[in-house]
Amino acid sequence: MRNPQLNKNGELQHLLTIDGLPREIITAVLDTAAPFTEVAEREVKKLPLLRGKSVFNLFFESSTRTRTTFEIAAKRLSADVINLNISTSSTSKGETLLDTVDNLSAMQADMFVVRHASSGAPFLISQHLDAMRQEHIHVINAGDGRHAHPTQGLLDMYTIRHYKKDFTKLTVAIVGDVLHSRVARSQINALTTLGVPEVRVIGPKTLLPADVEKLGVRVFHDMRAGLKDVDVVMMLRLQNERMQGALLPSSEEFFKYYGLTPDKLERARPDAIVMHPGPMNRGVEIDSAVADGPHAVILPQVTFGIAVRMAVMAMLAGN
Amino acid sequence: MRLPDAEQLCIALAERMRPGLHPDTALIGIHTGGVWVAERLHAALGLKILLGTMDVSFYRDDFGRTGLHPQLKPSEIPFEVEDRPVIIVDDVLYTGRTLRAAMNEIFDYGRPARIDLAVLVDRGGRELPICARWAAQTMELDRGQNLQLERSDNGKLTLRMVNA
């Protein structure tokens, strides 16, 4: 079966997940993002690539940061951006997901940026558009359920490459609530595709998926052991809103064992970088001294995220 | 057809440009061939203002047909464009569409005092009302012919004809 993200020429048609994306396409996104970073320093922070195109931000689940960075990226490419906060709109009146999509397609949409609480919703939309002969409309997954958050994974790879250059010599640790994290899945897929020789996941048993080793990672339950000599520490947010039942005794307890403190960070390499996809829970998964310290590259991640999203949109619009 | 020597064209172009320069004049080379020529001119003319470089892919009018070029380079404009005389440098002037894109991009950095154009070769075939202030060589080529500037490993510039 053809990769549902690629068109018949093997070019990116939709961005749904990093899983199964060829290394050349991931590298092409990172290469394309580099010149977009410079646009932010110009007097006119705008490029004409998406002039006349309409980008619909379809957020079935609330998110301020991701929606804002997609909106900025689209606007810097001169697109018209329409934000739909659908959790408070038509679905509450009973309209189905695909009816919503058909209606917006009839409004001459060129691109859908989709955030949904259900895994696979962006895939469903892309399949539907292709079946309806609307292949000119591109879909970007902005986070679906526990499945994937590919632009976050790509901006994380851009950040790592910016500071560490060569993926093939790195040890990378992903720490925290892997079970509920779509970000972690996208990160693991991207890191292994780009040839990182050692990817570790660190967390309590209750917050790691049962078969996580199958993704090609080393598992640690002891954070100090897991952080030894790592080049990159990727913290995850403790997703309180996705947790049902008692997976953790308390957030204080979590911080004690899995919160990134200066003392635990000393186990990593002296030039290690610390990343976090945001929003941070200070004092839960990360100590303020680390979040605001010299190893943190959390704010550059946000800046790079705009360039990476511009690159994805420009590549899709051109394919 | 015998093509002119690119190195000698660079020298000739610099000499033609010299009388028209202002102390504040800045050069911007268009990737990739235009940057090579601009580097030659910048050295030969002893300009004080650092050389700018531009990849106009983001501004091209054929993006909707051909998509993004895979090997993009960042534009680097290491000077204030506002009120400055700017000379765009390219290797071959053909349809003029690259120059339109370059001028659009320059205005996103500021309002220049004026923009001039210097090219190694004007090969005719314009599709826009654009002309070079300085062209070291002019020739009429057929649409199927494609004139390219190449740089060897030792840095020597050569013009080559590629038949499409």
Side-chain angles (χ1 to χ4, degrees), chain A residues 31-32 34-36 38-39 42-44 46-50 311 314-315 317-318, chain B residues 57-59 63 66-75 82 105 107-110:
Chain A
D31 290 346
T32 304
F36 284 112
E38 172 265 330
V39 175
R42 299 184 186 187
E43 172 141 341
V44 179
K46 243 182 192 341
L47 298 173
L49 288 176
L50 264 61
M315 284 173 73
Chain B
S57 304
F58 291 149
Y59 291 79
F63 167 73
T66 60
L68 265 191
H69 190 274
Q71 302 291 328
L72 296 173
K73 306 206 171 50
S75 296
E82 196 72 25
E105 179 159 0
F107 277 88
D108 282 354
Y109 287 88

Side-chain angles (χ1 to χ4, degrees), chain A residues 57-69:
Chain A
N57 278 333
L58 304 186
F59 278 63
F60 296 88
E61 185 183 78
S62 64
S63 155
T64 307
R65 173 183 333 227
T66 303
R67 205 213 65 214
T68 307
T69 52

